[in-house]
Amino acid sequence: MRAGPAGRLAWGTLITVLYLFLLAPIIIVFVVSFDDATFLRFPPEGLTLDAYRQVFDNADFRSALQVSAVTASITAGLALLAGVPAALALSRLRFRGREAMESAFLSPLLVPNIVLGLALLVLFAPIPLTDTYTGLILAHLGITIPYVVRTVCASLAGADPRAEEAARTLGANTFTVARRIILPTILPGVVSGGVIAFLLSFDETVISLFVSGQSVTPLPVAVLQYVEYRSDPAIAALSVCLVVLSVLAVVLVERSLGLRRSLRSG
Amino acid sequence: MTDPGIAAREGHLVLDGLVKTYPGRHGAAVRGVSLSVERGSMLAVLGPSGCGKSTTLRMVAGLVAPSAGRVLVDGRDVTDTPAHRRDMGVVFQSYALFPHLDVAGNVSFGLEMRKVPRAERARRVTQALELVRLDHLAGRRVARLSGGQQQRVALARALVVRPTVLLLDEPLSNLDAQLRTTMREEIRRIQRETGITTVFVTHDQHEALSMADSVAVMHEGRLEQLGSPQEVYERPAGHFVAEFVGRANLLPGTVARVAGNEAEVEVPGLGTVTATGHAPAPGDRGSVMVRPHRISLDAEAPAGSGAARGTVLSAGYTGETVAYRVRVGADGPELDAEHPSGAHRPHAPGTEVEISWDGAARLVPAPTPAPETAKPGDGAT
């Protein structure tokens, strides 16, 4: 697209406004987190790190952070364990009901989380799986496996299945083909799927609200419970920590996979 | 002139009645292909797309399990041997290189599978890359290679393990015309140097005729003819082979008289034509085949000196040749003729010419209901 200076200016302005619109909440939270007030206000008037100190002093937050970290790690691991073979089967095998399987794997994305949460509560309550790690992880698996399946399928889509056949004719058995040919191909999809699963589980609020309780409280739920009674800069500080964590994870993946990709083509 | 040899000689690679049916699909993809490849020779499996030639190759490689039939190597039945223990080198149409490995890594893969020690591996990889003239690119990522280079890597990767048989699936179809000619000679050179029994699949008759020691023509899952390039071209076993391998004028007629292999064939609109055939008998129906480049058109010759009198309908100049369409008599059959350009001034459409051809025409048997299995040597004379 070739445009004159006026056109370029208008385009630049539009992009800036769009980014401001998207980032405004994060910017405001970031600014407020350094305020010295005991309630949330904008624009801030003081400048202190008290809010951050409060977050790390709060025992509820610390235990909730631990719950979320454990849940997200196990969820990501199990989502990979289930999602990677599923993706391999869906993209490499021809079997009866393949399409039904495919929709089944992607359907949790179509159901509103609040419906899922309610359904899981009804299902889990009598077992009882509510307020347990098992219940929380099972619930999170339902919404993370589809992402792993999708990222791994996407990395397989660009690969030539004949390369696997070529490896077989060169003397590689099924296991060796999987390790030497398929694994390097799907690695980017596996890593990004795992990170996405971790972040989704770490951020998951709605479903967690239904299936968690007093003993196993993940961080987003703890945050909600906190702001029910108070709204001070501590919550903003916690939010900033969560944003930084997510951004770090995404950047790390992008850097490592981006590097791999550039090596491949360069 | 029948050749019992191909069937009787114990070939290095033998396909015995290979059949492949797919559930839910009408008819078989491969309907009983039997043929034999001599040690160190090169066989081309030639046919249009969908004729089952690639499926046949994949059955030989062990990538597709045949529904019936056997594959024998050195007389040993390998039908139930899995692909990774068949010891066959395969070059795929898409090359199927491993994108995460460099050139040397690709070539060395098969050696690693065979647990060849590191030092010997390095030596053999270099050797194989020298054979395909790519030794200067050993460290290059395969994504950064041209099509022709990728092709050579695929070839080196298949050859480095010294397979018993080399299988090539449409090896040249992804290359541009110029490179194709070069690679044709390259593959032939490498095959001669290594002396490896080779089967390659192609839909390109030039490729098949120029590269192979013998050609198997396939059509609708059946083997139509197996023979040397000359046999397949000069003495086609049927209409399909005549028209698929080169261009052909096919004039339907009936055999009137026979003397040995020579038959006098009554062709409506053309009269009696002498043609050689495979054991012709009076009353046989068939077609007289004359290749377009064999037909001469002479505007000066007196009427009656050639085979027939005709009129030029059209003349197409292609640079190297002039392609004519000629009608015999007033309402006789139409013929294609092709002459090198420059030899004489092209005949203009409407010109009356005397039509003749050098050598005897060939009698091609009329299509008969094909048997369920074709035997090697069938139709070859």
Side-chain angles (χ1 to χ4, degrees), chain A residues 160 162-163 165-166 168-172 176 180-181 184 263 265-266, chain B residues 58 84 88 90 92 94 96 98 100 109-110 112-114 141 144 157:
Chain A
D160 185 358
R162 294 274 186 264
E165 290 184 346
R168 279 166 62 199
T169 63
L170 288 167
T176 311
R180 294 283 314 264
I181 307 300
L263 274 179
S265 58
Chain B
R58 292 168 63 76
H84 67 272
M88 290 187 181
V90 185
F92 293 85
S94 61
F98 309 134
H100 57 286
F109 188 88
E112 288 165 37
M113 293 302 113
R114 283 163 176 75
R141 292 255 147 197
R144 295 197 56 208
R157 183 179 66 178

PDB file of all heavy atoms in Angstrom, chain A residues 160 162-163 165-166 168-172 176 180-181 184 263 265-266, chain B residues 58 84 88 90 92 94 96 98 100 109-110 112-114 141 144 157:
ATOM      1  N   ASP A 160       5.843 -32.945   5.647  1.00  0.00           N
ATOM      2  CA  ASP A 160       5.584 -33.925   4.602  1.00  0.00           C
ATOM      3  C   ASP A 160       5.515 -35.320   5.219  1.00  0.00           C
ATOM      4  O   ASP A 160       6.507 -35.807   5.749  1.00  0.00           O
ATOM      5  CB  ASP A 160       6.719 -33.856   3.572  1.00  0.00           C
ATOM      6  CG  ASP A 160       6.474 -34.763   2.392  1.00  0.00           C
ATOM      7  OD1 ASP A 160       5.443 -35.461   2.391  1.00  0.00           O
ATOM      8  OD2 ASP A 160       7.310 -34.768   1.468  1.00  0.00           O
ATOM      9  N   ARG A 162       5.550 -37.982   3.838  1.00  0.00           N
ATOM     10  CA  ARG A 162       6.467 -38.859   3.107  1.00  0.00           C
ATOM     11  C   ARG A 162       7.834 -38.933   3.795  1.00  0.00           C
ATOM     12  O   ARG A 162       8.565 -39.904   3.627  1.00  0.00           O
ATOM     13  CB  ARG A 162       6.653 -38.360   1.673  1.00  0.00           C
ATOM     14  CG  ARG A 162       5.411 -38.430   0.829  1.00  0.00           C
ATOM     15  CD  ARG A 162       5.261 -39.808   0.198  1.00  0.00           C
ATOM     16  NE  ARG A 162       4.151 -39.857  -0.724  1.00  0.00           N
ATOM     17  CZ  ARG A 162       2.937 -40.301  -0.417  1.00  0.00           C
ATOM     18  NH1 ARG A 162       2.689 -40.725   0.801  1.00  0.00           N
ATOM     19  NH2 ARG A 162       1.981 -40.326  -1.310  1.00  0.00           N
ATOM     20  N   ALA A 163       8.189 -37.877   4.551  1.00  0.00           N
ATOM     21  CA  ALA A 163       9.470 -37.903   5.253  1.00  0.00           C
ATOM     22  C   ALA A 163       9.474 -39.056   6.261  1.00  0.00           C
ATOM     23  O   ALA A 163      10.494 -39.716   6.448  1.00  0.00           O
ATOM     24  CB  ALA A 163       9.732 -36.575   5.953  1.00  0.00           C
ATOM     25  N   GLU A 165       7.789 -41.835   5.884  1.00  0.00           N
ATOM     26  CA  GLU A 165       7.934 -43.052   5.081  1.00  0.00           C
ATOM     27  C   GLU A 165       9.382 -43.222   4.631  1.00  0.00           C
ATOM     28  O   GLU A 165       9.917 -44.332   4.625  1.00  0.00           O
ATOM     29  CB  GLU A 165       7.021 -42.987   3.853  1.00  0.00           C
ATOM     30  CG  GLU A 165       5.558 -43.099   4.220  1.00  0.00           C
ATOM     31  CD  GLU A 165       4.675 -43.143   2.992  1.00  0.00           C
ATOM     32  OE1 GLU A 165       5.158 -42.824   1.898  1.00  0.00           O
ATOM     33  OE2 GLU A 165       3.497 -43.506   3.151  1.00  0.00           O
ATOM     34  N   ALA A 166      10.003 -42.092   4.266  1.00  0.00           N
ATOM     35  CA  ALA A 166      11.401 -42.162   3.843  1.00  0.00           C
ATOM     36  C   ALA A 166      12.249 -42.722   4.981  1.00  0.00           C
ATOM     37  O   ALA A 166      13.109 -43.580   4.772  1.00  0.00           O
ATOM     38  CB  ALA A 166      11.900 -40.780   3.437  1.00  0.00           C
ATOM     39  N   ARG A 168      11.293 -44.714   7.306  1.00  0.00           N
ATOM     40  CA  ARG A 168      11.026 -46.154   7.437  1.00  0.00           C
ATOM     41  C   ARG A 168      11.825 -46.938   6.405  1.00  0.00           C
ATOM     42  O   ARG A 168      12.440 -47.950   6.729  1.00  0.00           O
ATOM     43  CB  ARG A 168       9.532 -46.433   7.270  1.00  0.00           C
ATOM     44  CG  ARG A 168       8.740 -46.164   8.538  1.00  0.00           C
ATOM     45  CD  ARG A 168       7.260 -46.104   8.259  1.00  0.00           C
ATOM     46  NE  ARG A 168       6.728 -47.363   7.747  1.00  0.00           N
ATOM     47  CZ  ARG A 168       5.570 -47.466   7.105  1.00  0.00           C
ATOM     48  NH1 ARG A 168       4.847 -46.389   6.892  1.00  0.00           N
ATOM     49  NH2 ARG A 168       5.154 -48.623   6.679  1.00  0.00           N
ATOM     50  N   THR A 169      11.828 -46.459   5.155  1.00  0.00           N
ATOM     51  CA  THR A 169      12.556 -47.215   4.134  1.00  0.00           C
ATOM     52  C   THR A 169      14.056 -47.196   4.409  1.00  0.00           C
ATOM     53  O   THR A 169      14.780 -48.033   3.906  1.00  0.00           O
ATOM     54  CB  THR A 169      12.315 -46.658   2.725  1.00  0.00           C
ATOM     55  OG1 THR A 169      12.818 -45.320   2.667  1.00  0.00           O
ATOM     56  CG2 THR A 169      10.846 -46.648   2.365  1.00  0.00           C
ATOM     57  N   LEU A 170      14.519 -46.231   5.221  1.00  0.00           N
ATOM     58  CA  LEU A 170      15.946 -46.174   5.544  1.00  0.00           C
ATOM     59  C   LEU A 170      16.277 -47.025   6.767  1.00  0.00           C
ATOM     60  O   LEU A 170      17.411 -47.040   7.226  1.00  0.00           O
ATOM     61  CB  LEU A 170      16.373 -44.727   5.776  1.00  0.00           C
ATOM     62  CG  LEU A 170      16.444 -43.875   4.508  1.00  0.00           C
ATOM     63  CD1 LEU A 170      16.571 -42.410   4.846  1.00  0.00           C
ATOM     64  CD2 LEU A 170      17.612 -44.318   3.640  1.00  0.00           C
ATOM     65  N   GLY A 171      15.265 -47.712   7.309  1.00  0.00           N
ATOM     66  CA  GLY A 171      15.538 -48.651   8.381  1.00  0.00           C
ATOM     67  C   GLY A 171      15.063 -48.226   9.759  1.00  0.00           C
ATOM     68  O   GLY A 171      15.430 -48.844  10.747  1.00  0.00           O
ATOM     69  N   ALA A 172      14.253 -47.159   9.850  1.00  0.00           N
ATOM     70  CA  ALA A 172      13.790 -46.703  11.156  1.00  0.00           C
ATOM     71  C   ALA A 172      12.473 -47.385  11.504  1.00  0.00           C
ATOM     72  O   ALA A 172      11.544 -47.373  10.706  1.00  0.00           O
ATOM     73  CB  ALA A 172      13.606 -45.189  11.147  1.00  0.00           C
ATOM     74  N   THR A 176      11.600 -45.197  16.364  1.00  0.00           N
ATOM     75  CA  THR A 176      12.676 -44.314  15.896  1.00  0.00           C
ATOM     76  C   THR A 176      12.108 -43.202  15.010  1.00  0.00           C
ATOM     77  O   THR A 176      12.560 -42.057  15.082  1.00  0.00           O
ATOM     78  CB  THR A 176      13.729 -45.120  15.120  1.00  0.00           C
ATOM     79  OG1 THR A 176      14.070 -46.259  15.899  1.00  0.00           O
ATOM     80  CG2 THR A 176      14.964 -44.298  14.860  1.00  0.00           C
ATOM     81  N   ARG A 180      12.993 -39.524  15.967  1.00  0.00           N
ATOM     82  CA  ARG A 180      13.957 -38.810  15.128  1.00  0.00           C
ATOM     83  C   ARG A 180      13.312 -37.885  14.093  1.00  0.00           C
ATOM     84  O   ARG A 180      13.926 -36.938  13.633  1.00  0.00           O
ATOM     85  CB  ARG A 180      14.867 -39.814  14.396  1.00  0.00           C
ATOM     86  CG  ARG A 180      15.790 -40.612  15.300  1.00  0.00           C
ATOM     87  CD  ARG A 180      16.987 -39.791  15.754  1.00  0.00           C
ATOM     88  NE  ARG A 180      17.630 -39.040  14.672  1.00  0.00           N
ATOM     89  CZ  ARG A 180      18.677 -39.460  14.003  1.00  0.00           C
ATOM     90  NH1 ARG A 180      19.200 -40.620  14.282  1.00  0.00           N
ATOM     91  NH2 ARG A 180      19.201 -38.718  13.051  1.00  0.00           N
ATOM     92  N   ILE A 181      12.076 -38.203  13.672  1.00  0.00           N
ATOM     93  CA  ILE A 181      11.462 -37.430  12.595  1.00  0.00           C
ATOM     94  C   ILE A 181      10.258 -36.625  13.094  1.00  0.00           C
ATOM     95  O   ILE A 181      10.169 -35.416  12.889  1.00  0.00           O
ATOM     96  CB  ILE A 181      11.011 -38.348  11.430  1.00  0.00           C
ATOM     97  CG1 ILE A 181      12.175 -39.225  10.978  1.00  0.00           C
ATOM     98  CG2 ILE A 181      10.452 -37.526  10.286  1.00  0.00           C
ATOM     99  CD1 ILE A 181      13.393 -38.479  10.486  1.00  0.00           C
ATOM    100  N   PRO A 184      11.043 -33.811  16.326  1.00  0.00           N
ATOM    101  CA  PRO A 184      11.599 -32.494  15.944  1.00  0.00           C
ATOM    102  C   PRO A 184      10.596 -31.638  15.168  1.00  0.00           C
ATOM    103  O   PRO A 184      10.594 -30.421  15.299  1.00  0.00           O
ATOM    104  CB  PRO A 184      12.793 -32.855  15.055  1.00  0.00           C
ATOM    105  CG  PRO A 184      13.131 -34.259  15.382  1.00  0.00           C
ATOM    106  CD  PRO A 184      11.859 -34.917  15.798  1.00  0.00           C
ATOM    107  N   LEU A 263      16.710 -20.619  12.239  1.00  0.00           N
ATOM    108  CA  LEU A 263      17.788 -21.564  11.950  1.00  0.00           C
ATOM    109  C   LEU A 263      17.399 -22.472  10.801  1.00  0.00           C
ATOM    110  O   LEU A 263      18.185 -22.807   9.944  1.00  0.00           O
ATOM    111  CB  LEU A 263      18.081 -22.414  13.180  1.00  0.00           C
ATOM    112  CG  LEU A 263      19.056 -21.834  14.197  1.00  0.00           C
ATOM    113  CD1 LEU A 263      19.209 -22.785  15.359  1.00  0.00           C
ATOM    114  CD2 LEU A 263      20.394 -21.572  13.541  1.00  0.00           C
ATOM    115  N   SER A 265      15.282 -21.964   8.340  1.00  0.00           N
ATOM    116  CA  SER A 265      15.219 -21.385   6.995  1.00  0.00           C
ATOM    117  C   SER A 265      16.498 -20.636   6.657  1.00  0.00           C
ATOM    118  O   SER A 265      16.721 -20.255   5.522  1.00  0.00           O
ATOM    119  CB  SER A 265      14.021 -20.435   6.893  1.00  0.00           C
ATOM    120  OG  SER A 265      14.146 -19.431   7.871  1.00  0.00           O
ATOM    121  N   GLY A 266      17.367 -20.420   7.659  1.00  0.00           N
ATOM    122  CA  GLY A 266      18.518 -19.562   7.392  1.00  0.00           C
ATOM    123  C   GLY A 266      19.844 -20.257   7.376  1.00  0.00           C
ATOM    124  O   GLY A 266      20.037 -21.412   7.390  1.00  0.00           O
TER     125      GLY A 266
ATOM    126  N   ARG B  58       4.882 -48.520  -4.219  1.00  0.00           N
ATOM    127  CA  ARG B  58       4.783 -48.486  -2.756  1.00  0.00           C
ATOM    128  C   ARG B  58       4.611 -49.883  -2.175  1.00  0.00           C
ATOM    129  O   ARG B  58       5.043 -50.153  -1.056  1.00  0.00           O
ATOM    130  CB  ARG B  58       3.647 -47.567  -2.327  1.00  0.00           C
ATOM    131  CG  ARG B  58       3.955 -46.087  -2.638  1.00  0.00           C
ATOM    132  CD  ARG B  58       2.744 -45.193  -2.503  1.00  0.00           C
ATOM    133  NE  ARG B  58       2.227 -45.161  -1.136  1.00  0.00           N
ATOM    134  CZ  ARG B  58       2.787 -44.485  -0.154  1.00  0.00           C
ATOM    135  NH1 ARG B  58       3.861 -43.781  -0.382  1.00  0.00           N
ATOM    136  NH2 ARG B  58       2.273 -44.521   1.049  1.00  0.00           N
ATOM    137  N   HIS B  84      10.985 -51.072   7.008  1.00  0.00           N
ATOM    138  CA  HIS B  84      12.286 -50.716   7.570  1.00  0.00           C
ATOM    139  C   HIS B  84      13.268 -51.885   7.570  1.00  0.00           C
ATOM    140  O   HIS B  84      14.431 -51.710   7.912  1.00  0.00           O
ATOM    141  CB  HIS B  84      12.140 -50.092   8.968  1.00  0.00           C
ATOM    142  CG  HIS B  84      11.648 -51.028  10.028  1.00  0.00           C
ATOM    143  ND1 HIS B  84      10.318 -51.220  10.278  1.00  0.00           N
ATOM    144  CD2 HIS B  84      12.315 -51.800  10.908  1.00  0.00           C
ATOM    145  CE1 HIS B  84      10.180 -52.082  11.270  1.00  0.00           C
ATOM    146  NE2 HIS B  84      11.382 -52.449  11.667  1.00  0.00           N
ATOM    147  N   MET B  88      15.427 -51.314   0.896  1.00  0.00           N
ATOM    148  CA  MET B  88      15.221 -50.727  -0.419  1.00  0.00           C
ATOM    149  C   MET B  88      15.372 -49.220  -0.296  1.00  0.00           C
ATOM    150  O   MET B  88      14.883 -48.612   0.650  1.00  0.00           O
ATOM    151  CB  MET B  88      13.815 -51.047  -0.923  1.00  0.00           C
ATOM    152  CG  MET B  88      13.655 -52.519  -1.269  1.00  0.00           C
ATOM    153  SD  MET B  88      12.088 -52.823  -2.026  1.00  0.00           S
ATOM    154  CE  MET B  88      12.186 -54.594  -2.288  1.00  0.00           C
ATOM    155  N   VAL B  90      14.386 -45.593  -1.433  1.00  0.00           N
ATOM    156  CA  VAL B  90      13.248 -44.973  -2.104  1.00  0.00           C
ATOM    157  C   VAL B  90      13.492 -43.475  -2.254  1.00  0.00           C
ATOM    158  O   VAL B  90      13.897 -42.814  -1.304  1.00  0.00           O
ATOM    159  CB  VAL B  90      11.940 -45.201  -1.313  1.00  0.00           C
ATOM    160  CG1 VAL B  90      10.746 -44.648  -2.086  1.00  0.00           C
ATOM    161  CG2 VAL B  90      11.735 -46.679  -1.024  1.00  0.00           C
ATOM    162  N   PHE B  92      11.343 -40.194  -3.153  1.00  0.00           N
ATOM    163  CA  PHE B  92       9.953 -39.800  -3.301  1.00  0.00           C
ATOM    164  C   PHE B  92       9.828 -38.603  -4.228  1.00  0.00           C
ATOM    165  O   PHE B  92      10.763 -37.821  -4.391  1.00  0.00           O
ATOM    166  CB  PHE B  92       9.360 -39.451  -1.938  1.00  0.00           C
ATOM    167  CG  PHE B  92       9.246 -40.633  -1.025  1.00  0.00           C
ATOM    168  CD1 PHE B  92      10.321 -41.042  -0.254  1.00  0.00           C
ATOM    169  CD2 PHE B  92       8.065 -41.344  -0.949  1.00  0.00           C
ATOM    170  CE1 PHE B  92      10.225 -42.143   0.585  1.00  0.00           C
ATOM    171  CE2 PHE B  92       7.961 -42.442  -0.115  1.00  0.00           C
ATOM    172  CZ  PHE B  92       9.035 -42.844   0.654  1.00  0.00           C
ATOM    173  N   SER B  94       8.188 -35.933  -3.738  1.00  0.00           N
ATOM    174  CA  SER B  94       8.363 -34.673  -3.007  1.00  0.00           C
ATOM    175  C   SER B  94       9.740 -34.609  -2.347  1.00  0.00           C
ATOM    176  O   SER B  94      10.006 -33.720  -1.568  1.00  0.00           O
ATOM    177  CB  SER B  94       7.287 -34.554  -1.938  1.00  0.00           C
ATOM    178  OG  SER B  94       7.388 -35.621  -1.023  1.00  0.00           O
ATOM    179  N   ALA B  96      10.893 -35.634   0.173  1.00  0.00           N
ATOM    180  CA  ALA B  96      10.699 -36.079   1.555  1.00  0.00           C
ATOM    181  C   ALA B  96      11.972 -36.012   2.370  1.00  0.00           C
ATOM    182  O   ALA B  96      12.287 -36.920   3.134  1.00  0.00           O
ATOM    183  CB  ALA B  96      10.116 -37.503   1.578  1.00  0.00           C
ATOM    184  N   PHE B  98      14.439 -34.652   5.417  1.00  0.00           N
ATOM    185  CA  PHE B  98      14.150 -34.312   6.808  1.00  0.00           C
ATOM    186  C   PHE B  98      14.510 -32.844   7.016  1.00  0.00           C
ATOM    187  O   PHE B  98      15.691 -32.484   7.012  1.00  0.00           O
ATOM    188  CB  PHE B  98      14.956 -35.210   7.746  1.00  0.00           C
ATOM    189  CG  PHE B  98      14.809 -36.683   7.435  1.00  0.00           C
ATOM    190  CD1 PHE B  98      15.904 -37.517   7.390  1.00  0.00           C
ATOM    191  CD2 PHE B  98      13.548 -37.228   7.173  1.00  0.00           C
ATOM    192  CE1 PHE B  98      15.770 -38.863   7.094  1.00  0.00           C
ATOM    193  CE2 PHE B  98      13.398 -38.569   6.879  1.00  0.00           C
ATOM    194  CZ  PHE B  98      14.516 -39.386   6.833  1.00  0.00           C
ATOM    195  N   HIS B 100      14.669 -30.852   9.484  1.00  0.00           N
ATOM    196  CA  HIS B 100      15.407 -30.394  10.658  1.00  0.00           C
ATOM    197  C   HIS B 100      16.869 -30.833  10.618  1.00  0.00           C
ATOM    198  O   HIS B 100      17.628 -30.531  11.531  1.00  0.00           O
ATOM    199  CB  HIS B 100      14.726 -30.901  11.926  1.00  0.00           C
ATOM    200  CG  HIS B 100      14.594 -32.399  11.964  1.00  0.00           C
ATOM    201  ND1 HIS B 100      13.678 -33.069  11.188  1.00  0.00           N
ATOM    202  CD2 HIS B 100      15.262 -33.333  12.660  1.00  0.00           C
ATOM    203  CE1 HIS B 100      13.790 -34.355  11.427  1.00  0.00           C
ATOM    204  NE2 HIS B 100      14.744 -34.551  12.311  1.00  0.00           N
ATOM    205  N   PHE B 109      21.386 -40.550   7.821  1.00  0.00           N
ATOM    206  CA  PHE B 109      20.301 -41.145   8.614  1.00  0.00           C
ATOM    207  C   PHE B 109      20.244 -42.672   8.487  1.00  0.00           C
ATOM    208  O   PHE B 109      20.225 -43.394   9.480  1.00  0.00           O
ATOM    209  CB  PHE B 109      18.958 -40.532   8.197  1.00  0.00           C
ATOM    210  CG  PHE B 109      17.808 -40.941   9.076  1.00  0.00           C
ATOM    211  CD1 PHE B 109      17.503 -40.235  10.220  1.00  0.00           C
ATOM    212  CD2 PHE B 109      17.027 -42.050   8.753  1.00  0.00           C
ATOM    213  CE1 PHE B 109      16.443 -40.609  11.026  1.00  0.00           C
ATOM    214  CE2 PHE B 109      15.976 -42.435   9.565  1.00  0.00           C
ATOM    215  CZ  PHE B 109      15.683 -41.714  10.702  1.00  0.00           C
ATOM    216  N   GLY B 110      20.237 -43.152   7.239  1.00  0.00           N
ATOM    217  CA  GLY B 110      20.141 -44.591   7.015  1.00  0.00           C
ATOM    218  C   GLY B 110      21.318 -45.352   7.598  1.00  0.00           C
ATOM    219  O   GLY B 110      21.173 -46.479   8.089  1.00  0.00           O
ATOM    220  N   GLU B 112      23.028 -44.377  10.261  1.00  0.00           N
ATOM    221  CA  GLU B 112      22.833 -44.395  11.713  1.00  0.00           C
ATOM    222  C   GLU B 112      21.878 -45.517  12.089  1.00  0.00           C
ATOM    223  O   GLU B 112      22.079 -46.213  13.080  1.00  0.00           O
ATOM    224  CB  GLU B 112      22.274 -43.046  12.182  1.00  0.00           C
ATOM    225  CG  GLU B 112      23.301 -41.926  12.130  1.00  0.00           C
ATOM    226  CD  GLU B 112      22.652 -40.554  12.232  1.00  0.00           C
ATOM    227  OE1 GLU B 112      21.669 -40.399  12.972  1.00  0.00           O
ATOM    228  OE2 GLU B 112      23.129 -39.633  11.543  1.00  0.00           O
ATOM    229  N   MET B 113      20.814 -45.705  11.278  1.00  0.00           N
ATOM    230  CA  MET B 113      19.859 -46.774  11.542  1.00  0.00           C
ATOM    231  C   MET B 113      20.547 -48.132  11.466  1.00  0.00           C
ATOM    232  O   MET B 113      20.178 -49.072  12.146  1.00  0.00           O
ATOM    233  CB  MET B 113      18.718 -46.744  10.518  1.00  0.00           C
ATOM    234  CG  MET B 113      17.822 -45.533  10.609  1.00  0.00           C
ATOM    235  SD  MET B 113      17.064 -45.345  12.221  1.00  0.00           S
ATOM    236  CE  MET B 113      17.860 -43.863  12.802  1.00  0.00           C
ATOM    237  N   ARG B 114      21.571 -48.234  10.611  1.00  0.00           N
ATOM    238  CA  ARG B 114      22.277 -49.501  10.456  1.00  0.00           C
ATOM    239  C   ARG B 114      23.466 -49.601  11.394  1.00  0.00           C
ATOM    240  O   ARG B 114      24.286 -50.510  11.266  1.00  0.00           O
ATOM    241  CB  ARG B 114      22.745 -49.651   9.003  1.00  0.00           C
ATOM    242  CG  ARG B 114      21.623 -50.050   8.074  1.00  0.00           C
ATOM    243  CD  ARG B 114      21.987 -49.794   6.628  1.00  0.00           C
ATOM    244  NE  ARG B 114      20.950 -50.264   5.722  1.00  0.00           N
ATOM    245  CZ  ARG B 114      19.792 -49.646   5.534  1.00  0.00           C
ATOM    246  NH1 ARG B 114      19.505 -48.547   6.213  1.00  0.00           N
ATOM    247  NH2 ARG B 114      18.896 -50.123   4.690  1.00  0.00           N
ATOM    248  N   ARG B 141      21.500 -26.390   5.167  1.00  0.00           N
ATOM    249  CA  ARG B 141      20.134 -26.780   5.530  1.00  0.00           C
ATOM    250  C   ARG B 141      19.385 -27.178   4.264  1.00  0.00           C
ATOM    251  O   ARG B 141      19.528 -26.505   3.234  1.00  0.00           O
ATOM    252  CB  ARG B 141      19.406 -25.598   6.176  1.00  0.00           C
ATOM    253  CG  ARG B 141      19.964 -25.224   7.514  1.00  0.00           C
ATOM    254  CD  ARG B 141      19.047 -25.698   8.626  1.00  0.00           C
ATOM    255  NE  ARG B 141      19.856 -26.063   9.780  1.00  0.00           N
ATOM    256  CZ  ARG B 141      19.390 -26.806  10.786  1.00  0.00           C
ATOM    257  NH1 ARG B 141      18.161 -27.243  10.754  1.00  0.00           N
ATOM    258  NH2 ARG B 141      20.153 -27.098  11.795  1.00  0.00           N
ATOM    259  N   ARG B 144      17.323 -24.740   2.147  1.00  0.00           N
ATOM    260  CA  ARG B 144      17.988 -23.727   1.336  1.00  0.00           C
ATOM    261  C   ARG B 144      18.566 -24.298   0.044  1.00  0.00           C
ATOM    262  O   ARG B 144      19.380 -23.669  -0.604  1.00  0.00           O
ATOM    263  CB  ARG B 144      19.096 -23.053   2.156  1.00  0.00           C
ATOM    264  CG  ARG B 144      18.537 -22.264   3.330  1.00  0.00           C
ATOM    265  CD  ARG B 144      19.555 -21.300   3.865  1.00  0.00           C
ATOM    266  NE  ARG B 144      20.044 -20.392   2.845  1.00  0.00           N
ATOM    267  CZ  ARG B 144      21.259 -19.840   2.861  1.00  0.00           C
ATOM    268  NH1 ARG B 144      22.092 -20.140   3.822  1.00  0.00           N
ATOM    269  NH2 ARG B 144      21.620 -18.999   1.920  1.00  0.00           N
ATOM    270  N   ARG B 157      20.791 -40.024  -0.191  1.00  0.00           N
ATOM    271  CA  ARG B 157      20.295 -40.604   1.046  1.00  0.00           C
ATOM    272  C   ARG B 157      19.833 -42.048   0.819  1.00  0.00           C
ATOM    273  O   ARG B 157      20.025 -42.917   1.666  1.00  0.00           O
ATOM    274  CB  ARG B 157      19.125 -39.754   1.566  1.00  0.00           C
ATOM    275  CG  ARG B 157      18.569 -40.212   2.883  1.00  0.00           C
ATOM    276  CD  ARG B 157      17.437 -39.333   3.347  1.00  0.00           C
ATOM    277  NE  ARG B 157      16.265 -39.417   2.471  1.00  0.00           N
ATOM    278  CZ  ARG B 157      15.136 -38.765   2.698  1.00  0.00           C
ATOM    279  NH1 ARG B 157      15.026 -37.976   3.744  1.00  0.00           N
ATOM    280  NH2 ARG B 157      14.118 -38.888   1.881  1.00  0.00           N
TER     281      ARG B 157
END
